[in-house]
Amino acid sequence: MPLESNMTNMKNERVIVLGSNKGLGFACVSALLENDGVIQVLGLSRKDSGIHNKNPKYAFKAFDFTAAYDSPSIFLEVLKLIEDFEPTQIIYSAGGGPFGEFGQKNWKDHEWAIKLNFLFPAKLVWALMSSKKLINECNFLYVGSAIAESESGDALGPSYAAGKWAMKGLYLSIMASQSDSDKYSKLKMKWISPGYMDTDLLPKGSIPRLNGRVEDPKVVAKEILIALEHQPIA
């Protein structure tokens, strides 16, 4: 991402961060809470760090997104919470997958990665685009990955790569149709692919770490907020 300017105030933003507990999602929550123009931040994740609990602008609700994909009742609970919050921005930063060769990992771990990186966010985007209850025009920013912009794949992260590539295909297809068929929708999908980041989610033996090609999630989070405020993301 080329943006390097200082943060300026967002205005009257109500932001939901899915995947708020760790890594880039946590960094996004922290950056949002430092911004005077943000009214409220809602974090959704399996767990919460507890660090922001005393901030009056912050609220948290625990959800397992893969369980929400499997369970219609949990999914509807997530959807209703999002609709009732009346967001102006949604950031989907949840992600992950097993580290290792494809055949050496359990299928349930690959299935979990595909649900988390593709099936759940795809279902959520579909539900929100179909929703008649969204009050505000709302951006849904999906955090992709450098792997989604690569043609070489990831030998030790195949199901993670598969999920990100699938979501990129959905995003491009939605963008191709948005000029006509999706005019009715208040939800506008956005995409951004940062490089590999220095978080607990990136294994010690991964190629980006070995090559020294990792980014600071705090810097990436501020760049994401600047992009949301100032320019379209593609």
Side-chain angles (χ1 to χ4, degrees), residues 67-109:
Y69 176 77
D70 289 331
S71 168
S73 61
I74 299 176
F75 183 83
L76 288 176
E77 186 180 352
V78 175
L79 180 62
K80 185 177 186 304
L81 181 66
I82 292 174
E83 291 172 335
D84 290 349
F85 185 79
E86 300 180 1
T88 57
Q89 309 280 359
I90 299 172
I91 301 172
Y92 190 90
S93 64
F99 180 70
E101 294 182 8
F102 186 66
Q104 301 304 310
K105 297 295 177 179
N106 292 326
W107 174 249
K108 65 179 180 62
D109 296 326

Side-chain angles (χ1 to χ4, degrees), residues 61-184:
K61 179 70 174 178
F63 281 107
D64 182 325
F65 301 142
T66 58
Y69 176 77
D70 289 331
S71 168
S73 61
I74 299 176
F75 183 83
L76 288 176
E77 186 180 352
V78 175
L79 180 62
K80 185 177 186 304
L81 181 66
I82 292 174
E83 291 172 335
D84 290 349
F85 185 79
E86 300 180 1
T88 57
Q89 309 280 359
I90 299 172
I91 301 172
Y92 190 90
S93 64
F99 180 70
E101 294 182 8
F102 186 66
Q104 301 304 310
K105 297 295 177 179
N106 292 326
W107 174 249
K108 65 179 180 62
D109 296 326
H110 294 307
E111 186 177 30
W112 174 84
I114 293 170
K115 287 179 182 177
L116 182 63
N117 293 296
F118 174 60
L119 289 175
F120 173 74
K123 185 177 181 180
L124 185 58
V125 167
W126 165 79
L128 290 170
M129 283 188 164
S130 305
S131 174
K132 305 299 183 184
K133 297 179 181 179
L134 285 182
I135 302 299
N136 303 305
E137 292 282 342
C138 180
N139 289 323
F140 186 105
L141 172 62
Y142 180 89
V143 178
S145 168
I147 193 62
E149 315 304 327
S150 167
E151 296 181 357
S152 59
D154 188 333
L156 298 179
S159 49
Y160 174 80
K164 294 296 185 182
W165 278 351
M167 199 67 188
K168 183 65 178 292
L170 176 64
Y171 163 74
L172 292 173
S173 299
I174 289 173
M175 292 303 292
S177 69
Q178 242 175 7
S179 60
D180 295 316
S181 61
D182 289 327
K183 282 183 179 179
Y184 68 89

Side-chain angles (χ1 to χ4, degrees), residues 180-216:
D180 295 316
S181 61
D182 289 327
K183 282 183 179 179
Y184 68 89
S185 176
K186 288 183 177 294
L187 191 81
K188 305 302 177 187
M189 192 175 178
K190 306 292 183 180
W191 176 280
I192 201 162
S193 283
Y196 289 94
M197 283 171 284
D198 186 13
T199 73
D200 293 341
L201 300 175
L202 187 62
K204 292 182 179 180
S206 64
I207 292 176
R209 282 200 185 280
L210 296 176
N211 293 340
R213 294 186 290 106
V214 292
E215 300 182 26
D216 184 343

